[in-house]
């Protein structure tokens, strides 16, 4: 490589600058340099093979050709282009093939009758003695159950499954029968759910778009006893409320799609399918974002904020959100960064806003809020940025006739909490890793939270005094 570079530079030195511009009058210096590079590279490559005989060149060329052909014999094709939108026949063929494949996979899953058979076999072949009232089974009897149950069960009763459950077993050499049964049920449920989600993945790439997810949730509504009383006119708002949580947390970069694998592994699906239970305690319903009371509450707050009843929220209307102490400077940035329509926020954008503020400790929420705080779009926050937002807090302090607070003290405290890699700037990574991201964001955007943080020691002392008095 160094030899080639020396020859190239030597050739370039031979040509004068004026001659180059006369030879290539319409080209810039960079374009001339590229042209000469290609020219000299071709010449040097040709000269490097000049010392070889025609037979040597022929043998080398033949070897290269044969090795290429042989590689195609052993390396299978791994990329298949999706049918073009104009090719309706190919699209229909692909869709039918995927449906048949998913139906085949669905038939391989255990049904209720087969689960009853599995339970009876596990009870019959458990390995005594009982530990308390719990049954255990050793590996020998475990294998026996697999043989008796048949081929369909063996894919669940593997050596790997036994070893995995044995690692968490308190009984040496044995695993809990109920743990094994629950593990099998959970695995079948996940496979069923994956097949159900895959039916809406029309491209077959393992992703769901927002409209795909909306279709899936809409068809689930009639299967949930907890949603029986939900009016049909509210279904579209319920679907929107549900889908936004999945996309807010699983698609923080706003690509417009989420992986089916991520949907299956997150806890949201458990919360959603909890609605299949006939009875759920009232407090559990309030904590579940997907429950009817929770969805109605979120939508009800949106309607209450919408004072002019036009179905959208202005900056003035959004000031009433939560404690009503979000600073105007912060809200101004929210409307500057988020999707709005004629300067007003729709329900979908409002849901992202709510999810971010209600889950401030989560990385996805910090990502959302950091984008709003990053006024200069530099990818980091500086003392200037912190001061820009703290002015909103200072204005509130003045309005409440509270004692003014020196910004430098607040800035130093924030940098001490975050401990950024660069002592002059705070990145999103710094904010997430420090473990105090929620606190940092809150004291910059909401007066109520800032006041609580500033007087935290007084509040702790007051609480301790009350507890002592009660004793």
């Amino acid at each position: 490589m160094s030899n080639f570079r020396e020859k190239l530079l030597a050739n370039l030195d031979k040509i004068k600058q004026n001659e180059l511009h006369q030879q290539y009058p319409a080209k810039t210096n960079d374009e001339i340099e590229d042209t000469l590079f290609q020219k000299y590279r071709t010449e040097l490559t040709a000269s490097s093979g000049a010392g070889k005989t025609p037979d040597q060149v022929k043998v080398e060329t033949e070897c290269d050709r044969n090795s290429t052909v042989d590689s195609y014999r052993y390396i299978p094709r791994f990329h298949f282009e999706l049918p073009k939108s104009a090719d309706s026949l190919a699209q229909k063929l692909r869709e039918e093939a995927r449906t048949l494949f998913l139906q085949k996979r669905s038939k391989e899953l255990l049904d209720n009758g087969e689960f009853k058979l599995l339970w009876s076999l596990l009870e019959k072949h458990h390995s005594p003695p009982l530990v308390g009232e719990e049954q255990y089974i050793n590996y020998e009897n475990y294998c026996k159950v697999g043989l008796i149950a048949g081929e369909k069960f063996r894919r669940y009763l593997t050596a790997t499954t036994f070893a995995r459950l044995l690692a968490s077993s308190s009984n040496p050499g044995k695993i809990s029968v109920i743990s094994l049964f629950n593990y099998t049920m959970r695995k079948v449920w996940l496979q069923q759910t994956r097949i159900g989600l895959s039916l809406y993945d029309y491209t077959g790439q393992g992703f769901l778009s927002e409209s795909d997810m909306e279709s899936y949730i809409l068809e689930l509504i009639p299967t949930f006893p907890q949603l029986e009383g939900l009016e049909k006119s509210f279904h579209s708002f319920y679907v929107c409320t549900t889908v936004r949580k999945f996309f807010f947390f699983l698609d923080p970069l706003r690509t417009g799609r989420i992986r089916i694998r991520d949907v299956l592994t997150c806890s949201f699906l458990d919360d959603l399918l909890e609605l299949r239970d006939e009875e759920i305690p009232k407090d559990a319903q309030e904590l579940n974002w997907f429950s009817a009371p929770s969805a109605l509450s979120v939508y009800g707050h949106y309607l209450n904020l919408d004072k002019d009843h036009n179905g959208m929220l202005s900056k003035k209307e959004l000031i009433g959100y939560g404690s009503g102490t979000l600073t105007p400077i912060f809200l101004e940035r929210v409307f500057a960064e988020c999707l709005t329509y004629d300067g007003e926020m729709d329900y979908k954008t409002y849901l992202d806003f709510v999810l971010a503020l209600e889950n401030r400790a989560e990385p996805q929420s910090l990502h959302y809020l950091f984008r709003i705080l990053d006024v200069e779009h530099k990818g980091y926050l500086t003392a200037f940025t912190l001061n820009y937002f703290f002015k909103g807090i200072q204005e509130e302090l003045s309005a409440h006739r509270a004692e003014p607070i020196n910004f430098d003290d607040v800035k130093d405290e924030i940098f001490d909490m975050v401990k950024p890699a660069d002592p002059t700037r705070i990145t999103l990574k710094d904010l997430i890793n420090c473990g105090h991201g929620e606190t940092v964001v809150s004291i910059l955007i909401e007066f109520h939270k800032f006041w609580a943080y500033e007087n935290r020691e007084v509040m702790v002392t007051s609480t301790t005094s009350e507890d002592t008095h009660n004793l």
Side-chain angles (χ1 to χ4, degrees):
M1 184 67 185
S2 60
N3 189 35
F4 170 75
R5 188 171 181 276
E6 289 171 5
K7 290 181 179 179
L8 176 63
L9 292 172
N11 282 327
L12 288 171
D13 289 338
K14 291 177 183 178
I15 302 176
K16 294 181 180 179
Q17 191 76 14
N18 292 335
E19 292 176 358
L20 286 175
H21 286 288
Q22 288 175 4
Q23 191 174 352
Y24 306 99
K27 293 188 176 182
T28 63
N29 289 338
D30 289 339
E31 290 171 340
I32 293 171
E33 186 178 341
D34 289 340
T35 303
L36 292 174
F37 177 87
Q38 296 298 333
K39 177 183 174 183
Y40 295 138
R41 184 174 181 274
T42 305
E43 291 177 4
L44 291 169
T45 304
S47 63
S48 65
K52 298 178 182 178
T53 64
D55 289 336
Q56 287 177 320
V57 175
K58 183 178 180 182
V59 169
E60 287 179 3
T61 306
E62 193 65 32
C63 287
D64 289 341
R65 187 182 296 116
N66 287 337
S67 65
T68 303
V69 173
D70 288 341
S71 71
Y72 282 128
R73 294 177 186 173
Y74 301 110
I75 301 176
R77 183 178 176 186
F78 55 86
H79 175 69
F80 297 87
E81 290 186 2
L82 291 173
K84 295 179 180 178
S85 56
D87 193 349
S88 58
L89 184 61
Q91 284 190 332
K92 186 66 177 174
L93 176 63
R94 177 182 173 81
E95 189 178 320
E96 289 296 324
R98 285 191 65 258
T99 303
L100 289 172
F101 170 74
L102 293 172
Q103 287 175 353
K104 181 183 176 183
R105 293 301 300 268
S106 184
K107 288 177 183 177
E108 293 173 359
L109 302 178
L110 302 181
D111 57 28
N112 289 336
E114 287 163 332
F115 272 119
K116 289 179 182 178
L117 173 62
L118 176 62
W119 179 251
S120 65
L121 288 172
L122 289 172
E123 280 194 314
K124 184 178 179 181
H125 293 89
H126 78 273
S127 306
L130 297 177
V131 178
E133 295 183 357
E134 194 168 357
Q135 296 175 331
Y136 283 81
I137 188 169
N138 60 25
Y139 188 65
E140 184 181 351
N141 289 342
Y142 176 83
C143 292
K144 193 182 291 183
V145 169
L147 287 170
I148 297 171
E151 186 66 33
K152 193 172 182 181
F153 292 81
R154 286 175 199 162
R155 59 198 299 259
Y156 299 102
L157 305 176
T158 63
T160 304
T161 300
F162 187 89
R164 186 175 289 134
L165 293 173
L166 186 63
S168 59
S169 175
S170 58
N171 196 347
K174 297 177 183 178
I175 62 173
S176 166
V177 167
I178 189 68
S179 295
L180 172 60
F181 187 74
N182 288 339
Y183 175 85
T184 307
M185 284 187 67
R186 174 74 178 176
K187 191 169 184 179
V188 171
W189 174 79
L190 281 172
Q191 289 171 335
Q192 282 177 335
T193 308
R194 185 179 188 111
I195 290 169
L197 288 167
S198 297
L199 288 170
Y200 296 87
D201 173 22
Y202 299 111
T203 62
Q205 298 294 292
F207 291 88
L208 293 175
S209 67
E210 201 164 334
S211 60
D212 295 336
M213 197 68 185
E214 286 173 353
S215 300
Y216 174 71
I217 299 297
L218 191 61
E219 292 197 17
L220 276 182
I221 290 176
T223 68
F224 292 153
Q226 290 296 324
L227 301 180
E228 283 180 357
L230 214 59
E231 293 183 12
K232 283 193 175 182
S233 60
F234 185 69
H235 282 189
S236 60
F237 294 101
Y238 176 80
V239 169
C240 182
T241 306
T242 301
V243 170
R244 281 323 301 161
K245 182 160 187 176
F246 281 96
F247 273 80
F248 181 84
F249 286 101
L250 302 182
D251 181 33
L253 298 179
R254 305 295 183 264
T255 62
R257 62 180 193 170
I258 54 178
R259 294 197 309 172
I260 291 176
R261 182 184 299 177
D262 292 338
V263 175
L264 292 169
T265 54
C266 73
S267 61
F268 306 148
L269 205 57
D270 290 333
D271 295 339
L272 177 64
L273 298 180
E274 191 179 86
L275 303 180
R276 287 178 174 174
D277 297 341
E278 293 288 344
E279 293 184 8
I280 301 177
K282 187 177 180 181
D283 56 343
Q285 288 189 44
E286 290 173 355
L287 294 173
N288 189 337
W289 174 268
F290 306 111
S291 69
S294 174
L296 288 166
S297 174
V298 172
Y299 187 63
H301 286 150
Y302 179 79
L303 293 179
N304 289 336
L305 291 172
D306 182 20
K307 301 300 182 184
D308 59 6
H309 307 294
N310 68 342
M312 310 281 275
L313 298 181
S314 64
K315 294 174 203 170
K316 186 178 179 180
E317 290 170 331
L318 194 60
I319 287 176
Y321 173 80
S323 63
T325 59
L326 289 169
T327 65
I329 291 175
F330 170 69
L331 292 175
E332 191 76 32
R333 284 290 301 151
V334 169
F335 278 80
E337 289 295 325
C338 298
L339 179 64
T340 56
Y341 302 88
D342 294 329
E344 295 199 316
M345 179 184 289
D346 69 347
Y347 184 55
K348 190 179 289 187
T349 305
Y350 172 77
L351 287 172
D352 285 344
F353 177 79
V354 171
L355 287 165
L357 291 180
E358 287 190 358
N359 303 276
R360 298 181 201 189
E362 298 299 323
Q364 296 89 340
S365 299
L366 290 175
H367 183 276
Y368 175 96
L369 294 167
F370 187 88
R371 182 165 53 94
I372 294 169
L373 293 176
D374 185 13
V375 180
E376 299 176 286
H377 299 101
K378 289 182 176 179
Y380 56 82
L381 309 180
T382 61
F384 168 80
T385 315
L386 302 183
N387 189 32
Y388 177 82
F389 283 96
F390 191 68
K391 283 179 181 176
I393 300 295
Q394 288 175 322
E395 288 172 4
E396 291 293 327
L397 286 168
S398 177
H400 287 80
R401 297 182 180 179
E403 186 179 342
I405 294 173
N406 187 6
F407 166 71
D408 288 333
D409 295 337
V410 175
K411 179 200 70 176
D412 292 342
E413 195 160 350
I414 288 174
F415 273 89
D416 286 343
M417 276 194 286
V418 178
K419 294 181 174 60
D422 184 330
T424 64
R425 59 182 65 172
I426 298 172
T427 64
L428 175 60
K429 185 178 179 181
D430 295 327
L431 202 60
I432 292 172
N433 291 341
C434 74
H436 300 288
E438 177 183 7
T439 304
V440 171
V441 169
S442 295
I443 63 179
L444 289 174
I445 69 173
E446 191 171 5
F447 177 71
H448 176 72
K449 295 286 185 182
F450 171 79
W451 188 255
Y453 176 78
E454 188 67 17
N455 295 277
R456 62 195 181 282
E457 294 177 1
V458 176
M459 290 179 178
V460 169
T461 305
S462 175
T463 305
T464 306
S465 300
E466 286 180 10
D467 292 342
T468 306
H469 178 72
N470 292 333
L471 288 172

